[in-house]
Amino acid sequence: MGLPVWPVDGVPVRGPGKLLMLLYQNLFELIVLNLFYLLCCAPIVTIPFAASALVKVLLDMCRGQGSHPLGSYWRCFFRFGRTVFAVAGFLTAMEVLLLWGLLIYLGAGAANPLFWLGCGVNAAALVLVILVKFYALPLLHTSREGARRILLRAFCLALGRLPYSLAAFAAAVAMWTVCLRNWQSAWIAIVLLLFSLTYLVGTFCAAPCMEDAAEGKDGKGGA
């Protein structure tokens, strides 16, 4: 299974090169999309719809579709649906709960091996939820199935396409680590890009799998 190939003006562009091209071509849009996302997350209950709208715009961006990403964001955000709320809301709640539990573990500082085993299990569960989210949110916009089926397909894709999944997760962690370690010297634009770049990396790695998922392959076939 190779890296995703995206044709640009007839010339195939692979993996990281395409990501850098998307960043270069859409820097302003990504910054503004990040502001829209943070604004729409403020009421808390709208976080699932904000995340879904952001992924929809980034999915179109990765596929070279749509010429007005900022307008598309608002159109998608106000297109409320039970499936979006069930899938994105469930995954967001799980992320928060697992992160909270992990912080409690790390703050306790116990030396018991069972304590660290529990901490490792909690961290692994958090990573798995994040990986599932990379696939579940794009599936919301490429599938008409129900929430339970989407979550199941996303879980299968997260494990079946593990190289893509881990690459997206590692890139997101690296971006956040670099920014947080250099918070005072970081440009505000870089800070504002963090959320949208995290979703962009996840969406870019998941996008090549969406067609296979729609055909029912669930990540078992080669790409």
Side-chain angles (χ1 to χ4, degrees), residues 21-90:
M21 185 175 297
L22 287 172
L23 176 60
Y24 174 76
Q25 293 176 340
N26 303 280
L27 180 62
F28 173 76
E29 286 80 3
L30 288 172
I31 294 175
V32 178
L33 282 172
N34 210 117
L35 287 172
F36 287 175
Y37 173 74
L38 294 175
L39 177 65
C40 293
C41 285
I44 305 300
V45 295
T46 58
I47 290 177
F49 305 111
S52 174
L54 181 59
V55 167
K56 168 60 175 170
V57 173
L58 295 177
L59 187 61
D60 290 343
M61 192 179 293
C62 287
R63 291 175 164 177
Q65 301 173 351
S67 57
H68 303 286
L70 302 183
S72 297
Y73 180 87
W74 291 112
R75 286 193 296 273
C76 186
F77 175 75
F78 287 109
R79 197 178 301 156
F80 301 118
R82 287 182 297 178
T83 303
V84 171
F85 188 79
V87 173
F90 171 76

Side-chain angles (χ1 to χ4, degrees), residues 83-92 94 128-129 131-133 135-137 139-140 143 145-158 218:
T83 303
V84 171
F85 188 79
V87 173
F90 171 76
L91 292 173
T92 301
M94 288 297 296
L128 182 59
V129 168
L131 297 185
V132 170
K133 193 173 182 179
Y135 295 95
L137 294 182
L139 277 173
L140 283 170
S143 170
E145 296 176 316
R148 183 178 301 178
R149 183 63 177 170
I150 287 176
L151 287 171
L152 177 60
R153 282 180 176 268
F155 178 82
C156 293
L157 283 168
D218 287 339

